[in-house]
Each structure stands twice: as structure tokens, then as C-alpha cells.
Amino acid sequence: MFARQRWTGQKSNYKLNLLKKYNNLCFEPGNIVRLNSFYNNVFIIEIYFLSLQKINNYIMKQLKERILRDGKSLEGGILKVDNFINHQMDPILMREMAKELVRRFANHQVNKVMTIEASGIAPAIMVGDCLNVPVLFAKKKTPSTMDNMLVTEVFSFTKNKSYTVCVSGDYLGEGDRVLFIDDFLANGNAAKGIIDLVKQAGATLEGMGFLIEKGFQSGGEELRSRGIHVESLAIIDSLDNCAVTFR
């Protein structure tokens, strides 16, 4: 599936450096694309992205199969995936999904991953580990010991109530380039809360990645209309009659 050759390319070349960086972070030994020389640049990169498309299709297929097999669709547009994502977790699948999200944001200069507790923490940590950057999660309770607190309000679709989330400004500031990761994208309320926190801190939002998007709800469309780079590994077009229909 991959070209396997010794790295001898010109390290000053941006694209070659970028590919080498993310290859070494996110592929198993033996599956690393190594660029043989600058003159093979175009040829090797073409093979690389064809391979990534195959990986992308494979990861999405795995996720969709698990949703159909182990997920539970309930009345009111609720999808439970607590068998393998947000209660009991499948670390192997989580790791592969994290790698795929990293590949999709490979052109962004991310130096911090953010999420909101609690279900987003596992995929966010996996992504942060792959990128070798810190992971910051917004807390749903305001600790009395937190200094330099940044606060916003988020409405929960599943719990049908609003709650306050916060982070310390000591860990989110002007130099941070943030990638937000979460398990679900529905109405986008959690994502909007993060946008507000990032803005308050003077940081930069690089993109938002989700494991599952409810495409029949407005969150994805609204975030993309703002010019935000949004990626979702599985997009569900309908949960009508408690049946899952993928895009």
C-alpha cells in the first residue's frame, strides 16, 4: 500500500517536511512513506494521498459498521454509542480514528488540542498523543481553585439544559493554535462554546474534528458557513424510525 524507501529528500522543502513529520507520528513501522529524493516529490506524494484515501475509507467503514452493530438509535434523534466510544471505549478503534483526524488536519499548525469533558476527552487525548501536543479540556464545573478563569455557557441537546464551562487562561492564550475534538457534532453548541473560549483567550482556532456528525441537525452547516475547517469521520443523514442512514 505504501512506498517504502530511505529518506534522502531536501529537508528544507515544506511539503516533504510536512509529510515526513506526520508519517513518522501516525503510521506504524513498516507502513511509513519515505520520500526517496526531491525529484520523486510529485510521484511519491501522489501515491501517498491515494493511500490515505484507502485508509480514510477503511476507518470510516470500521466506524460505520460499529455504529450499526453496537450503536442504539432512540426516539428524538439520539444515538447511543456508549458500547465503544463514550462509556466503554474501544482503544484500537479510537486510536485509528485519531490518526485519521490528524491526517485531515495535516496542513494546520496545531499546538494544542481542546475538548469539553467528558466524552470528548478520550479522542482528544489520542489526537494530542499523535500530534505530540498538550490536550486541554473545558470543565463543566467552575473550580474554586482555578486562576485566570475563562467562562462560557453551553446548551446540552441530550440533557436539555444549559451549563457553564470554563478553562484557565494560564493554559490557553494568544500563541495557541487550537484543534477542537469531540465525539459528536449535532447542533454545534459545545463547539460554539469552545469558539467563544478561544476568542476570549486571543488564541487561534485551526479546526474542529468529530467522530460522528448528525448531518440532519444544523451544527455542521453553521460551523462550515463560518469558514471553519470541520471534519467528521461518519455523517448520519437520518435517525428516522430509529434507523441509522449514513451520508
Side-chain angles (χ1 to χ4, degrees), residues 104-146:
R104 294 191 185 193
F105 290 99
N107 289 326
H108 292 267
Q109 301 299 308
V110 175
N111 63 11
K112 185 158 293 182
V113 173
M114 280 192 70
T115 190
I116 292 182
E117 66 175 349
S119 299
I121 292 177
I125 287 176
M126 292 286 193
V127 170
D129 179 61
C130 194
L131 288 172
N132 195 28
V133 300
V135 178
L136 176 66
F137 69 89
K139 294 177 176 285
K140 291 183 179 177
K141 294 183 179 180
T142 54
S144 59
T145 57
M146 183 180 287

Side-chain angles (χ1 to χ4, degrees), residues 1-6 28-35 44:
M1 187 183 243
F2 297 94
R4 297 181 177 91
Q5 301 181 44
R6 177 182 294 273
E28 296 297 330
N31 285 340
I32 297 173
V33 180
R34 297 189 183 276
L35 306 175
I44 295 297

Side-chain angles (χ1 to χ4, degrees), residues 23-196:
N23 287 341
N24 287 338
L25 283 171
C26 299
F27 286 99
E28 296 297 330
N31 285 340
I32 297 173
V33 180
R34 297 189 183 276
L35 306 175
N36 187 40
S37 72
F38 180 76
Y39 300 103
N40 287 337
N41 183 14
V42 174
F43 175 70
I44 295 297
I45 289 176
E46 286 178 353
I47 292 178
Y48 176 82
F49 281 108
L50 285 172
S51 299
L52 286 190
Q53 185 61 49
K54 292 179 182 178
I55 293 172
N56 178 25
N57 292 340
Y58 175 70
I59 298 301
M60 289 192 297
K61 181 181 178 183
Q62 274 194 312
L63 177 56
K64 289 177 180 178
E65 286 176 351
R66 288 299 296 274
I67 291 171
L68 292 175
R69 186 175 78 238
D70 296 329
K72 295 180 182 178
S73 179
L74 307 178
E75 293 290 343
I78 296 173
L79 177 66
K80 290 187 66 177
V81 288
D82 55 359
N83 179 279
F84 61 99
I85 286 182
N86 53 22
H87 188 31
Q88 175 175 266
M89 288 168 277
D90 181 339
I92 297 173
L93 177 62
M94 195 73 73
R95 183 167 174 264
E96 294 305 313
M97 291 190 293
K99 289 180 182 180
E100 175 58 25
L101 287 170
V102 168
R103 292 183 190 106
R104 294 191 185 193
F105 290 99
N107 289 326
H108 292 267
Q109 301 299 308
V110 175
N111 63 11
K112 185 158 293 182
V113 173
M114 280 192 70
T115 190
I116 292 182
E117 66 175 349
S119 299
I121 292 177
I125 287 176
M126 292 286 193
V127 170
D129 179 61
C130 194
L131 288 172
N132 195 28
V133 300
V135 178
L136 176 66
F137 69 89
K139 294 177 176 285
K140 291 183 179 177
K141 294 183 179 180
T142 54
S144 59
T145 57
M146 183 180 287
D147 297 324
N148 193 17
M149 189 182 299
L150 306 175
V151 180
T152 192
E153 192 171 88
V154 170
F155 178 79
S156 171
F157 171 77
T158 53
K159 296 180 180 179
N160 195 32
K161 68 175 185 179
S162 296
Y163 54 90
T164 298
V165 298
C166 62
V167 297
S168 171
D170 293 344
Y171 308 123
L172 184 64
E174 293 183 1
D176 288 320
R177 306 182 72 87
V178 174
L179 174 61
F180 175 67
I181 299 293
D182 208 355
D183 58 341
F184 271 97
L185 171 58
N187 290 310
N189 294 318
K192 294 170 191 174
I194 290 294
I195 291 170
D196 185 35

Side-chain angles (χ1 to χ4, degrees), residues 73-75 239-244:
S73 179
L74 307 178
E75 293 290 343
L239 291 174
D240 291 346
N241 301 316
C242 296
V244 178

